[in-house]
Amino acid sequence: MQVARLLSRSARLTPRTFTQPTRLISVARPIRSVSRSTWDEVDIDDPVVSKTPLTDATPNASVVTESQASAPYVPPTPATSNGASAPAEPLTETSFNDWSRSFHGLSAQPFPKEIAEVLMTPVDAADIEMKPDGLIYLPEIKYRRILNKAFGPGGWGLAPRAEVNVGPKVVSREYALVCMGRLVAIARGEQQYFDPSGIPTATEACKSNALMRCCKDLGIASELWDPRFIREFKAQHCVEVFVEHVPTKKKRKLWRRKDDPKFEYPYKES
């Protein structure tokens, strides 16, 4: 009689227990038979037992969540003989390189002597320009001509390594200079803009600025960053003159090359 009463109570509990919503997908396991002695030891009136779902609590049970079931399969990382993860395979010349994060070929070997001579040729003083604030620079197109002469058109390129960063007044972006399939240098270019309509032009100028900075690692026009060369060049080829801003009548000093014409409107050279 007591066994029949226990079985009837468990039958009433079974539908309520298994109809509860669950997000677990469990692997089917064989149902274990319950002996009479086992039922005699279970107290059905115990609230913990009556509200506990009848699931297999074995620690090694295979349980897979819905997110895990729908996730793509990821093969395990190969392990070495001592159990450690095997290192990633190095990039080869024939493999695809994601230049937004790859460092393939960096400092692998020097370029041939004939290429190095072109890159490190001293810059011609006639190619150097002077800004009114006294900074000397080599026009961006001159860097491209040197790269084309050294590697040939198509033998080099600039690969962006980040998205364009547009600030309130400055646009910047990081680029990588790749020559003959090898990473050579990384630099961030920047350019000011004064109106939102000028952002596209500033983005292109940002690329040119990054190119000039990357070329320093190849030795192109490296004299322009040498303080002694800058002082000697300004003394021999440049002059600082007084100019008057015509609309405001304010006077100031500006720099120009000696062989350049005098300043024009809105400035008037004294």
Side-chain angles (χ1 to χ4, degrees):
M1 180 65 70
Q2 184 179 2
V3 173
R5 183 170 59 85
L6 294 176
L7 289 175
S8 63
R9 290 187 180 182
S10 63
R12 291 196 302 271
L13 292 174
T14 302
R16 183 180 61 183
T17 302
F18 283 96
T19 56
Q20 292 179 355
T22 176
R23 299 187 64 182
L24 297 181
I25 304 173
S26 60
V27 178
R29 298 176 61 86
I31 300 176
R32 296 178 297 179
S33 61
V34 181
S35 63
R36 179 174 180 177
S37 59
T38 304
W39 280 107
D40 292 341
E41 296 174 359
V42 177
D43 185 4
I44 300 299
D45 296 330
D46 188 347
V48 177
V49 176
S50 61
K51 296 181 180 180
T52 303
L54 299 178
T55 57
D56 194 345
T58 306
N60 295 328
S62 300
V63 179
V64 183
T65 62
E66 290 182 357
S67 61
Q68 292 173 340
S70 60
Y73 172 74
V74 178
T77 305
T80 57
S81 58
N82 59 1
S85 298
E89 295 183 0
L91 294 174
T92 61
E93 294 182 358
T94 59
S95 62
F96 171 76
N97 293 320
D98 181 5
W99 294 116
S100 65
R101 57 180 181 177
S102 174
F103 292 88
H104 173 73
L106 184 64
S107 71
Q109 60 182 357
F111 287 111
K113 182 179 179 181
E114 56 272 15
I115 294 180
E117 291 178 352
V118 174
L119 298 175
M120 302 182 67
T121 300
V123 63
D124 188 354
D127 294 334
I128 302 176
E129 299 291 342
M130 166 67 73
K131 292 185 177 181
D133 58 1
L135 294 178
I136 62 175
Y137 69 98
L138 192 67
E140 176 265 344
I141 190 60
K142 302 293 178 67
Y143 289 92
R144 295 181 180 271
R145 290 174 181 173
I146 295 174
L147 290 173
N148 285 333
K149 185 177 181 180
F151 303 106
W156 64 276
L158 278 178
R161 292 183 67 92
E163 297 297 329
V164 179
N165 182 13
V166 181
K169 295 182 179 180
V170 177
V171 173
S172 67
R173 193 177 194 182
E174 188 177 82
Y175 286 89
L177 177 60
V178 181
C179 301
M180 309 295 288
R182 294 167 45 189
L183 180 71
V184 173
I186 298 174
R188 177 170 289 271
E190 59 183 356
Q191 178 64 36
Q192 291 183 341
Y193 69 95
F194 303 97
D195 187 83
S197 62
I199 291 179
T201 302
T203 303
E204 185 66 19
C206 171
K207 179 181 178 181
S208 300
N209 182 248
L211 174 64
M212 292 189 291
R213 293 179 175 181
C214 286
C215 285
K216 289 190 296 183
D217 291 352
L218 289 175
I220 300 177
S222 60
E223 301 94 328
L224 304 184
W225 282 268
D226 185 349
R228 183 177 295 276
F229 176 85
I230 295 174
R231 289 192 296 266
E232 293 178 355
F233 178 84
K234 293 174 71 173
Q236 296 178 12
H237 303 281
C238 304
V239 60
E240 189 177 22
V241 297
F242 274 104
V243 297
E244 178 182 326
H245 190 257
V246 176
T248 61
K249 303 299 181 181
K250 292 183 178 180
K251 293 185 178 181
R252 57 182 301 187
K253 279 187 174 183
L254 296 180
W255 285 89
R256 65 172 176 83
R257 287 181 58 111
K258 294 179 179 179
D259 53 358
D260 283 348
K262 294 184 178 181
F263 288 98
E264 299 178 351
Y265 187 87
Y267 293 104
K268 180 181 179 181
E269 189 170 330
S270 302

